[in-house]
Amino acid sequence: MKYKLLAKLNDKSAVIGVVGLGYVGLPLVLRYSAVGYKVVGFDVDQSKISSLSKGESYIEHINADSVRSAVEKGFEATSDFTRAKEVDALILCVPTPLNKYREPDLSFVLNTMDALAPNLRAGQIMSLESTTYPGTTGEELLPRIQSTGLIVGEDFFLVYSPEREDPGNPDFTTQTIPKICGADNLSCQDVGMALYEQVIDEVVPVSSTRAAEMTKLLENIHRAVNIGLVNEMKIVADKMDVDIHEVIRAAATKPFGFVPYYPGPGLGGHCIPIDPFYLTWKAREFGLHTRFIELAGEVNSAMPDFVISKLVWALNEQEKAVNGSKVLVLGIAYKKNVDDMRESPSVFIMDKLRSLGADVSYSDSHVPEFPEIRQYQFELKSVVLTDEVIASYDCVLIATDHDDFNYELIEKNAQLIVDSRGRYLGKRTNIVKA
Ligand SMILES: NC(=O)c1ccc[n+]([C@@H]2O[C@H](COP(=O)([O-])OP(=O)(O)OC[C@H]3O[C@@H](n4cnc5c(N)ncnc54)[C@H](O)[C@@H]3O)[C@@H](O)[C@H]2O)c1
Protein backbone atom coordinates (compact mmCIF):
# COMPACT_ATOMS: atom_id res chain seq x y z
CA MET A 1 0.00 0.00 0.00
CA LYS A 2 2.77 2.39 1.04
CA TYR A 3 4.88 1.79 -2.07
CA LYS A 4 1.92 2.16 -4.40
CA LEU A 5 1.04 5.52 -2.83
CA LEU A 6 4.70 6.63 -2.84
CA ALA A 7 4.92 5.82 -6.54
CA LYS A 8 1.76 7.82 -7.30
CA LEU A 9 3.01 10.80 -5.31
CA ASN A 10 6.40 10.67 -6.96
CA ASP A 11 5.12 10.38 -10.54
CA LYS A 12 2.40 12.99 -9.82
CA SER A 13 -0.44 10.70 -10.80
CA ALA A 14 -1.80 11.03 -7.21
CA VAL A 15 -4.92 13.17 -6.82
CA ILE A 16 -4.51 15.77 -4.07
CA GLY A 17 -7.49 16.81 -1.94
CA VAL A 18 -7.28 20.08 -0.03
CA VAL A 19 -9.95 20.62 2.63
CA GLY A 20 -10.57 24.27 3.60
CA LEU A 21 -9.87 26.66 0.75
CA GLY A 22 -8.86 29.77 2.68
CA TYR A 23 -5.59 31.66 3.16
CA VAL A 24 -3.71 28.39 3.72
CA GLY A 25 -5.62 25.92 1.53
CA LEU A 26 -5.87 27.94 -1.65
CA PRO A 27 -2.12 28.58 -2.13
CA LEU A 28 -1.54 24.83 -1.64
CA VAL A 29 -4.15 24.01 -4.28
CA LEU A 30 -2.41 26.32 -6.72
CA ARG A 31 1.04 24.96 -5.96
CA TYR A 32 0.04 21.28 -6.39
CA SER A 33 -1.82 22.16 -9.55
CA ALA A 34 1.12 24.18 -10.93
CA VAL A 35 3.51 21.23 -10.62
CA GLY A 36 1.09 18.90 -12.41
CA TYR A 37 -1.16 17.17 -9.87
CA LYS A 38 -4.89 16.89 -10.30
CA VAL A 39 -6.39 18.71 -7.29
CA VAL A 40 -9.85 18.55 -5.71
CA GLY A 41 -10.69 21.29 -3.18
CA PHE A 42 -13.31 20.76 -0.47
CA ASP A 43 -15.06 23.53 1.44
CA VAL A 44 -18.39 24.13 3.17
CA ASP A 45 -18.59 27.71 1.85
CA GLN A 46 -20.58 27.62 -1.42
CA SER A 47 -19.55 31.15 -2.37
CA LYS A 48 -15.88 30.14 -2.37
CA ILE A 49 -16.63 27.04 -4.42
CA SER A 50 -18.51 29.00 -7.03
CA SER A 51 -15.84 31.76 -7.24
CA LEU A 52 -13.05 29.21 -7.68
CA SER A 53 -15.03 27.21 -10.23
CA LYS A 54 -15.34 30.40 -12.28
CA GLY A 55 -11.59 30.96 -11.99
CA GLU A 56 -11.96 33.88 -9.57
CA SER A 57 -9.90 34.62 -6.48
CA TYR A 58 -11.33 35.97 -3.19
CA ILE A 59 -7.95 36.65 -1.62
CA GLU A 60 -6.30 39.92 -2.60
CA HIS A 61 -2.73 38.68 -2.96
CA ILE A 62 -3.74 35.59 -4.99
CA ASN A 63 -4.37 36.56 -8.55
CA ALA A 64 -7.23 35.15 -10.57
CA ASP A 65 -4.88 34.05 -13.40
CA SER A 66 -3.37 31.36 -11.18
CA VAL A 67 -6.85 30.13 -10.18
CA ARG A 68 -7.95 30.08 -13.84
CA SER A 69 -4.84 28.17 -14.81
CA ALA A 70 -5.52 25.58 -12.06
CA VAL A 71 -9.13 25.19 -13.27
CA GLU A 72 -7.83 24.66 -16.83
CA LYS A 73 -5.55 21.93 -15.48
CA GLY A 74 -8.50 20.12 -13.91
CA PHE A 75 -8.79 21.66 -10.43
CA GLU A 76 -12.33 21.27 -9.08
CA ALA A 77 -13.83 22.78 -5.93
CA THR A 78 -16.71 20.97 -4.25
CA SER A 79 -18.72 20.65 -1.04
CA ASP A 80 -19.40 16.99 -1.79
CA PHE A 81 -17.27 15.16 0.77
CA THR A 82 -18.13 11.74 -0.70
CA ARG A 83 -15.62 12.73 -3.38
CA ALA A 84 -12.89 12.28 -0.76
CA LYS A 85 -12.78 8.66 -2.02
CA GLU A 86 -11.35 9.95 -5.30
CA VAL A 87 -8.25 11.53 -3.80
CA ASP A 88 -5.01 9.96 -2.64
CA ALA A 89 -4.06 12.73 -0.20
CA LEU A 90 -6.24 14.81 2.11
CA ILE A 91 -4.64 18.00 3.39
CA LEU A 92 -6.73 19.66 6.11
CA CYS A 93 -6.52 23.46 6.31
CA VAL A 94 -9.63 24.36 8.31
CA PRO A 95 -9.82 27.06 11.01
CA THR A 96 -8.71 26.47 14.61
CA PRO A 97 -10.03 29.48 16.53
CA LEU A 98 -10.61 29.98 20.27
CA ASN A 99 -14.06 29.73 21.82
CA LYS A 100 -15.51 32.50 24.01
CA TYR A 101 -13.59 31.15 27.02
CA ARG A 102 -10.36 31.48 25.00
CA GLU A 103 -10.01 27.71 24.81
CA PRO A 104 -9.22 25.72 21.64
CA ASP A 105 -12.22 25.27 19.36
CA LEU A 106 -11.51 22.11 17.38
CA SER A 107 -15.05 21.91 16.03
CA PHE A 108 -13.96 22.73 12.45
CA VAL A 109 -11.31 19.99 12.47
CA LEU A 110 -13.67 17.46 14.05
CA ASN A 111 -16.60 18.33 11.78
CA THR A 112 -14.28 17.90 8.82
CA MET A 113 -13.16 14.52 10.14
CA ASP A 114 -16.77 13.43 10.65
CA ALA A 115 -17.61 14.39 7.07
CA LEU A 116 -14.53 12.65 5.71
CA ALA A 117 -14.49 9.48 7.83
CA PRO A 118 -17.13 7.49 5.86
CA ASN A 119 -15.22 8.29 2.67
CA LEU A 120 -11.72 7.32 3.69
CA ARG A 121 -10.15 4.31 2.02
CA ALA A 122 -6.95 2.31 2.09
CA GLY A 123 -4.04 3.88 0.23
CA GLN A 124 -4.61 7.47 1.33
CA ILE A 125 -2.54 9.94 3.33
CA MET A 126 -4.05 12.61 5.57
CA SER A 127 -2.06 15.66 6.64
CA LEU A 128 -3.36 18.13 9.20
CA GLU A 129 -2.02 21.65 8.58
CA SER A 130 -4.26 23.65 10.94
CA THR A 131 -2.37 25.12 13.89
CA THR A 132 -3.19 23.23 17.07
CA TYR A 133 -1.95 21.91 20.43
CA PRO A 134 0.48 18.98 20.71
CA GLY A 135 -1.51 15.76 20.68
CA THR A 136 -4.35 16.77 18.36
CA THR A 137 -3.31 14.51 15.47
CA GLY A 138 -2.65 11.49 17.68
CA GLU A 139 -5.52 11.96 20.13
CA GLU A 140 -8.30 13.24 17.85
CA LEU A 141 -7.59 12.26 14.24
CA LEU A 142 -5.90 8.87 14.71
CA PRO A 143 -8.77 7.20 16.67
CA ARG A 144 -11.36 8.55 14.23
CA ILE A 145 -9.45 7.08 11.29
CA GLN A 146 -8.89 3.76 13.06
CA SER A 147 -12.58 3.50 13.97
CA THR A 148 -13.25 3.09 10.24
CA GLY A 149 -11.16 -0.10 10.28
CA LEU A 150 -8.15 1.41 8.53
CA ILE A 151 -4.74 0.74 10.07
CA VAL A 152 -2.59 3.84 10.25
CA GLY A 153 0.99 3.13 9.20
CA GLU A 154 -0.09 0.11 7.13
CA ASP A 155 -2.93 0.95 4.79
CA PHE A 156 -3.50 4.60 5.71
CA PHE A 157 -0.95 7.31 6.50
CA LEU A 158 -1.21 10.28 8.86
CA VAL A 159 1.10 13.26 9.39
CA TYR A 160 1.01 16.75 10.85
CA SER A 161 2.60 19.49 8.75
CA PRO A 162 2.02 23.06 9.93
CA GLU A 163 1.52 25.87 7.46
CA ARG A 164 3.90 28.83 7.48
CA GLU A 165 2.11 31.27 5.19
CA ASP A 166 3.02 34.95 5.43
CA PRO A 167 0.30 36.57 3.32
CA GLY A 168 1.45 39.65 1.47
CA ASN A 169 5.17 38.91 1.88
CA PRO A 170 6.60 38.91 -1.66
CA ASP A 171 9.92 37.36 -0.56
CA PHE A 172 8.52 33.91 0.22
CA THR A 173 6.15 31.58 -1.60
CA THR A 174 4.54 28.27 -0.69
CA GLN A 175 7.37 26.59 -2.59
CA THR A 176 10.26 28.39 -0.88
CA ILE A 177 9.12 28.35 2.76
CA PRO A 178 10.66 25.22 4.37
CA LYS A 179 7.98 22.87 5.66
CA ILE A 180 7.98 20.73 8.81
CA CYS A 181 6.53 17.23 8.53
CA GLY A 182 5.95 15.17 11.68
CA ALA A 183 4.80 11.54 11.83
CA ASP A 184 4.47 8.91 14.52
CA ASN A 185 5.98 6.05 12.52
CA LEU A 186 8.42 5.65 9.66
CA SER A 187 5.87 4.61 7.03
CA CYS A 188 3.78 7.70 7.67
CA GLN A 189 6.91 9.86 7.61
CA ASP A 190 8.04 8.41 4.24
CA VAL A 191 4.66 9.08 2.64
CA GLY A 192 4.40 12.53 4.25
CA MET A 193 7.81 13.52 2.92
CA ALA A 194 6.84 12.32 -0.56
CA LEU A 195 3.61 14.32 -0.40
CA TYR A 196 5.45 17.57 0.23
CA GLU A 197 8.85 17.09 -1.42
CA GLN A 198 7.36 17.40 -4.90
CA VAL A 199 6.04 20.91 -4.21
CA ILE A 200 8.23 22.42 -1.45
CA ASP A 201 11.96 23.06 -1.85
CA GLU A 202 12.88 21.97 1.68
CA VAL A 203 10.86 19.56 3.83
CA VAL A 204 12.13 19.08 7.39
CA PRO A 205 11.14 15.79 9.05
CA VAL A 206 10.48 15.68 12.81
CA SER A 207 10.08 12.52 14.83
CA SER A 208 6.45 12.86 15.95
CA THR A 209 3.22 14.67 15.17
CA ARG A 210 3.40 16.25 18.66
CA ALA A 211 6.86 17.71 17.95
CA ALA A 212 5.56 19.17 14.68
CA GLU A 213 2.50 20.59 16.43
CA MET A 214 4.67 22.17 19.09
CA THR A 215 7.12 23.55 16.52
CA LYS A 216 4.39 25.68 14.98
CA LEU A 217 3.27 26.89 18.40
CA LEU A 218 6.84 27.77 19.40
CA GLU A 219 7.20 29.89 16.25
CA ASN A 220 4.04 31.86 17.00
CA ILE A 221 4.63 32.08 20.75
CA HIS A 222 8.11 33.42 20.01
CA ARG A 223 6.49 36.24 18.03
CA ALA A 224 3.72 36.93 20.54
CA VAL A 225 6.15 37.13 23.47
CA ASN A 226 8.66 39.34 21.65
CA ILE A 227 5.94 41.66 20.40
CA GLY A 228 4.64 41.80 24.00
CA LEU A 229 8.13 42.75 25.18
CA VAL A 230 8.53 45.51 22.62
CA ASN A 231 5.00 46.80 23.31
CA GLU A 232 5.88 47.08 27.00
CA MET A 233 9.14 48.85 26.04
CA LYS A 234 7.06 51.26 23.95
CA ILE A 235 5.03 52.32 27.01
CA VAL A 236 8.18 52.76 29.10
CA ALA A 237 9.93 54.71 26.31
CA ASP A 238 6.89 56.93 25.86
CA LYS A 239 6.86 57.89 29.56
CA MET A 240 10.60 58.67 29.33
CA ASP A 241 10.05 60.73 26.19
CA VAL A 242 12.17 58.37 24.08
CA ASP A 243 11.13 57.24 20.59
CA ILE A 244 10.95 53.42 20.72
CA HIS A 245 11.29 53.15 16.95
CA GLU A 246 14.58 55.05 17.02
CA VAL A 247 15.76 52.68 19.76
CA ILE A 248 14.75 49.57 17.78
CA ARG A 249 16.45 50.83 14.63
CA ALA A 250 19.61 51.54 16.62
CA ALA A 251 19.53 48.13 18.39
CA ALA A 252 18.99 46.36 15.06
CA THR A 253 22.41 47.53 13.86
CA LYS A 254 23.88 44.90 16.22
CA PRO A 255 24.86 42.12 13.83
CA PHE A 256 24.21 39.24 16.28
CA GLY A 257 21.96 38.37 19.19
CA PHE A 258 19.18 40.90 18.51
CA VAL A 259 16.08 40.44 16.39
CA PRO A 260 13.91 43.52 15.85
CA TYR A 261 10.20 43.29 16.61
CA TYR A 262 7.94 46.27 16.18
CA PRO A 263 5.29 47.62 18.55
CA GLY A 264 1.83 48.50 17.35
CA PRO A 265 -1.78 49.04 18.38
CA GLY A 266 -2.21 45.40 19.43
CA LEU A 267 -2.01 41.92 17.94
CA GLY A 268 -4.11 40.92 14.95
CA GLY A 269 -4.59 38.12 12.47
CA HIS A 270 -5.72 34.55 12.76
CA CYS A 271 -2.49 33.27 14.33
CA ILE A 272 -0.49 35.29 16.83
CA PRO A 273 -3.35 36.41 19.15
CA ILE A 274 -4.85 32.90 19.17
CA ASP A 275 -2.37 30.07 18.71
CA PRO A 276 -0.33 30.58 21.94
CA PHE A 277 -3.47 29.84 23.98
CA TYR A 278 -3.70 26.39 22.39
CA LEU A 279 -0.54 25.54 24.30
CA THR A 280 -1.73 27.28 27.48
CA TRP A 281 -4.83 25.10 27.46
CA LYS A 282 -2.97 21.84 26.83
CA ALA A 283 -0.26 22.67 29.38
CA ARG A 284 -2.93 22.76 32.13
CA GLU A 285 -3.50 19.04 31.56
CA PHE A 286 0.11 18.59 32.68
CA GLY A 287 -0.27 20.90 35.70
CA LEU A 288 1.75 23.62 34.00
CA HIS A 289 1.10 27.33 33.74
CA THR A 290 2.48 29.12 30.64
CA ARG A 291 3.44 32.42 32.26
CA PHE A 292 5.26 34.04 29.32
CA ILE A 293 2.26 33.44 27.07
CA GLU A 294 -0.20 34.85 29.59
CA LEU A 295 1.95 37.89 30.29
CA ALA A 296 2.47 38.65 26.59
CA GLY A 297 -1.28 38.25 26.07
CA GLU A 298 -1.94 40.70 28.89
CA VAL A 299 0.47 43.33 27.52
CA ASN A 300 -0.58 42.91 23.89
CA SER A 301 -4.30 43.02 24.60
CA ALA A 302 -3.86 46.29 26.54
CA MET A 303 -2.30 48.07 23.52
CA PRO A 304 -5.53 49.27 21.86
CA ASP A 305 -6.42 51.04 25.13
CA PHE A 306 -2.97 52.60 25.23
CA VAL A 307 -3.47 54.01 21.73
CA ILE A 308 -6.91 55.32 22.65
CA SER A 309 -5.59 57.00 25.78
CA LYS A 310 -2.88 58.74 23.70
CA LEU A 311 -5.52 59.87 21.23
CA VAL A 312 -7.75 61.21 24.04
CA TRP A 313 -4.80 63.15 25.50
CA ALA A 314 -3.78 64.50 22.11
CA LEU A 315 -7.28 65.82 21.42
CA ASN A 316 -7.43 67.21 24.94
CA GLU A 317 -4.24 69.21 24.27
CA GLN A 318 -6.17 70.83 21.44
CA GLU A 319 -9.06 71.55 23.81
CA LYS A 320 -11.26 68.94 22.16
CA ALA A 321 -13.16 66.00 23.57
CA VAL A 322 -13.32 62.63 21.83
CA ASN A 323 -17.08 62.93 22.14
CA GLY A 324 -18.14 64.74 18.95
CA SER A 325 -14.68 64.70 17.31
CA LYS A 326 -14.26 63.37 13.79
CA VAL A 327 -11.65 60.60 13.80
CA LEU A 328 -10.27 58.97 10.64
CA VAL A 329 -8.67 55.56 11.18
CA LEU A 330 -6.06 54.68 8.54
CA GLY A 331 -5.66 50.97 7.89
CA ILE A 332 -8.19 48.48 9.23
CA ALA A 333 -6.55 45.26 8.01
CA TYR A 334 -4.55 43.66 10.83
CA LYS A 335 -1.21 44.18 9.12
CA LYS A 336 0.14 46.28 6.32
CA ASN A 337 -0.49 45.62 2.65
CA VAL A 338 -3.06 42.85 3.14
CA ASP A 339 -6.87 42.74 3.17
CA ASP A 340 -7.20 40.32 6.12
CA MET A 341 -9.21 41.87 8.98
CA ARG A 342 -9.33 38.93 11.34
CA GLU A 343 -8.76 40.02 14.96
CA SER A 344 -7.68 43.45 13.70
CA PRO A 345 -6.99 45.84 16.61
CA SER A 346 -8.08 48.74 14.34
CA VAL A 347 -11.65 47.48 14.52
CA PHE A 348 -11.57 47.22 18.29
CA ILE A 349 -10.21 50.79 18.43
CA MET A 350 -12.91 52.07 16.05
CA ASP A 351 -15.59 50.46 18.19
CA LYS A 352 -14.19 51.93 21.41
CA LEU A 353 -13.87 55.42 19.87
CA ARG A 354 -17.44 55.22 18.65
CA SER A 355 -18.65 54.22 22.13
CA LEU A 356 -16.81 57.30 23.47
CA GLY A 357 -18.88 59.45 21.10
CA ALA A 358 -16.39 59.97 18.25
CA ASP A 359 -17.63 60.22 14.68
CA VAL A 360 -15.45 57.45 13.18
CA SER A 361 -14.50 56.87 9.54
CA TYR A 362 -11.76 54.78 7.97
CA SER A 363 -9.55 54.64 4.91
CA ASP A 364 -8.05 51.40 3.60
CA SER A 365 -7.68 50.64 -0.11
CA HIS A 366 -7.42 46.92 0.72
CA VAL A 367 -10.85 46.94 2.38
CA PRO A 368 -13.12 49.18 0.26
CA GLU A 369 -16.22 48.41 2.32
CA PHE A 370 -16.41 47.53 6.02
CA PRO A 371 -17.20 43.79 5.99
CA GLU A 372 -19.74 41.96 8.10
CA ILE A 373 -18.10 41.02 11.38
CA ARG A 374 -20.18 39.37 14.09
CA GLN A 375 -19.29 41.64 17.04
CA TYR A 376 -18.72 44.88 15.15
CA GLN A 377 -21.16 46.59 12.81
CA PHE A 378 -20.07 49.63 10.83
CA GLU A 379 -21.89 50.78 7.71
CA LEU A 380 -18.84 52.45 6.27
CA LYS A 381 -16.92 52.65 3.03
CA SER A 382 -13.24 53.49 2.75
CA VAL A 383 -12.75 57.26 2.54
CA VAL A 384 -10.66 58.53 -0.38
CA LEU A 385 -7.89 60.74 0.96
CA THR A 386 -7.65 64.27 -0.48
CA ASP A 387 -6.34 67.51 1.06
CA GLU A 388 -9.85 68.63 2.04
CA VAL A 389 -10.96 65.24 3.36
CA ILE A 390 -7.90 64.85 5.58
CA ALA A 391 -8.19 68.42 6.87
CA SER A 392 -11.83 67.88 7.79
CA TYR A 393 -10.97 65.42 10.59
CA ASP A 394 -10.04 66.43 14.12
CA CYS A 395 -7.69 63.49 14.29
CA VAL A 396 -6.14 60.95 11.91
CA LEU A 397 -5.06 57.68 13.57
CA ILE A 398 -2.48 55.53 11.81
CA ALA A 399 -3.54 52.07 12.89
CA THR A 400 -2.06 49.99 10.02
CA ASP A 401 0.64 51.63 7.95
CA HIS A 402 -0.11 50.34 4.44
CA ASP A 403 2.55 51.42 1.94
CA ASP A 404 -0.02 52.94 -0.41
CA PHE A 405 -0.99 55.79 1.93
CA ASN A 406 0.43 59.15 0.88
CA TYR A 407 2.09 60.01 4.19
CA GLU A 408 3.29 63.41 2.97
CA LEU A 409 -0.24 64.37 1.96
CA ILE A 410 -1.53 63.20 5.33
CA GLU A 411 1.09 65.13 7.28
CA LYS A 412 0.56 68.29 5.20
CA ASN A 413 -3.20 68.39 5.79
CA ALA A 414 -4.04 66.66 9.06
CA GLN A 415 -4.97 68.76 12.08
CA LEU A 416 -3.60 66.01 14.36
CA ILE A 417 -1.98 62.63 13.66
CA VAL A 418 -1.77 59.83 16.18
CA ASP A 419 0.83 57.36 14.87
CA SER A 420 0.70 53.88 16.42
CA ARG A 421 3.19 52.38 13.94
CA GLY A 422 6.16 54.73 14.10
CA ARG A 423 5.66 55.70 10.48
CA TYR A 424 6.81 59.28 11.08
CA LEU A 425 10.37 59.58 12.30
CA GLY A 426 11.55 62.13 14.89
CA LYS A 427 9.48 64.77 16.62
CA ARG A 428 6.99 66.70 14.49
CA THR A 429 4.32 69.25 15.24
CA ASN A 430 0.87 67.72 15.47
CA ILE A 431 2.12 64.13 15.39
CA VAL A 432 1.71 62.12 18.56
CA LYS A 433 3.36 58.71 18.78
CA ALA A 434 1.14 56.08 20.34
N1 LIG B 1 -3.73 32.59 7.51
C1 LIG B 1 -2.48 32.32 7.81
O1 LIG B 1 -1.59 33.11 7.51
C2 LIG B 1 -2.10 31.03 8.53
C3 LIG B 1 -0.73 30.73 8.64
C4 LIG B 1 -0.36 29.55 9.26
C5 LIG B 1 -1.32 28.69 9.78
N2 LIG B 1 -2.65 29.00 9.67
C6 LIG B 1 -3.60 28.03 10.21
O2 LIG B 1 -4.22 27.36 9.12
C7 LIG B 1 -5.57 27.04 9.44
C8 LIG B 1 -6.50 27.64 8.39
O3 LIG B 1 -6.34 29.05 8.41
P1 LIG B 1 -6.82 29.98 7.22
O4 LIG B 1 -6.20 31.31 7.48
O5 LIG B 1 -6.57 29.32 5.91
O6 LIG B 1 -8.39 30.03 7.51
P2 LIG B 1 -9.53 30.53 6.49
O7 LIG B 1 -10.68 30.92 7.36
O8 LIG B 1 -8.97 31.51 5.52
O9 LIG B 1 -9.90 29.22 5.67
C9 LIG B 1 -10.50 28.11 6.24
C10 LIG B 1 -11.46 27.51 5.24
O10 LIG B 1 -12.00 26.33 5.80
C11 LIG B 1 -13.36 26.26 5.43
N3 LIG B 1 -14.07 25.35 6.34
C12 LIG B 1 -14.59 25.59 7.54
N4 LIG B 1 -15.15 24.47 8.04
C13 LIG B 1 -14.96 23.51 7.14
C14 LIG B 1 -15.30 22.13 7.07
N5 LIG B 1 -15.94 21.53 8.08
N6 LIG B 1 -14.97 21.46 5.96
C15 LIG B 1 -14.32 22.07 4.94
N7 LIG B 1 -13.97 23.35 4.94
C16 LIG B 1 -14.28 24.07 6.02
C17 LIG B 1 -13.83 27.70 5.49
O11 LIG B 1 -15.02 27.89 4.75
C18 LIG B 1 -12.63 28.42 4.89
O12 LIG B 1 -12.73 28.54 3.49
C19 LIG B 1 -5.79 27.57 10.86
O13 LIG B 1 -5.54 26.55 11.76
C20 LIG B 1 -4.74 28.64 10.99
O14 LIG B 1 -4.38 28.85 12.34
C21 LIG B 1 -3.06 30.16 9.05
Side-chain angles (χ1 to χ4, degrees), residues 19-25 42-45 48 58-59 81 93-96 107-109 111-112 129-132 162-167 216 220 270-271 275 334 340 342:
V19 188
L21 302 172
Y23 284 85
V24 168
F42 297 87
D43 207 292
V44 289
D45 183 341
K48 285 187 176 148
Y58 39 77
I59 297 178
F81 282 69
C93 313
V94 293
T96 43
S107 61
F108 296 90
V109 175
N111 289 344
T112 302
E129 295 218 2
S130 306
T131 307
T132 187
E163 183 52 53
R164 283 173 164 162
E165 259 272 286
D166 187 12
K216 173 70 188 177
N220 285 357
H270 185 38
C271 298
D275 302 345
Y334 84 87
D340 189 349
R342 289 177 292 179

Side-chain angles (χ1 to χ4, degrees), residues 254-405:
K254 185 179 176 186
F256 45 83
F258 181 82
V259 179
Y261 286 86
Y262 299 95
L267 292 184
H270 185 38
C271 298
I272 311 296
I274 291 170
D275 302 345
F277 296 99
Y278 269 69
L279 189 67
T280 298
W281 179 83
K282 190 64 178 175
R284 276 191 225 125
E285 190 182 310
F286 295 82
L288 297 171
H289 189 55
T290 55
R291 287 171 292 167
F292 272 105
I293 296 174
E294 300 282 3
L295 180 59
E298 207 177 291
V299 173
N300 290 327
S301 61
M303 294 321 289
D305 283 327
F306 173 76
V307 172
I308 289 165
S309 74
K310 294 292 288 185
L311 187 147
V312 171
W313 273 92
L315 279 172
N316 192 56
E317 287 285 300
Q318 302 199 345
E319 300 178 9
K320 290 178 183 172
V322 183
N323 195 348
S325 284
K326 285 184 71 185
V327 179
L328 177 64
V329 175
L330 299 188
I332 60 168
Y334 84 87
K335 70 170 186 176
K336 69 190 218 169
N337 306 334
V338 302
D339 61 349
D340 189 349
M341 289 191 55
R342 289 177 292 179
E343 307 284 322
S344 174
S346 309
V347 178
F348 178 84
I349 290 173
M350 285 173 72
D351 187 57
K352 193 92 186 248
L353 289 173
R354 182 172 59 179
S355 69
L356 290 170
D359 176 1
V360 183
S361 313
Y362 83 93
S363 182
D364 190 324
S365 65
H366 301 270
V367 192
E369 205 165 315
F370 198 95
E372 277 180 35
I373 304 179
R374 202 165 13 97
Q375 318 94 297
Y376 302 109
Q377 267 100 40
F378 283 93
E379 291 209 356
L380 292 175
K381 287 195 169 148
S382 173
V383 165
V384 177
L385 300 184
T386 63
D387 298 57
E388 300 74 39
V389 167
I390 297 166
S392 71
Y393 286 90
D394 297 292
C395 178
V396 174
L397 167 64
I398 299 176
T400 300
D401 55 338
H402 293 310
D403 288 335
D404 63 1
F405 285 127

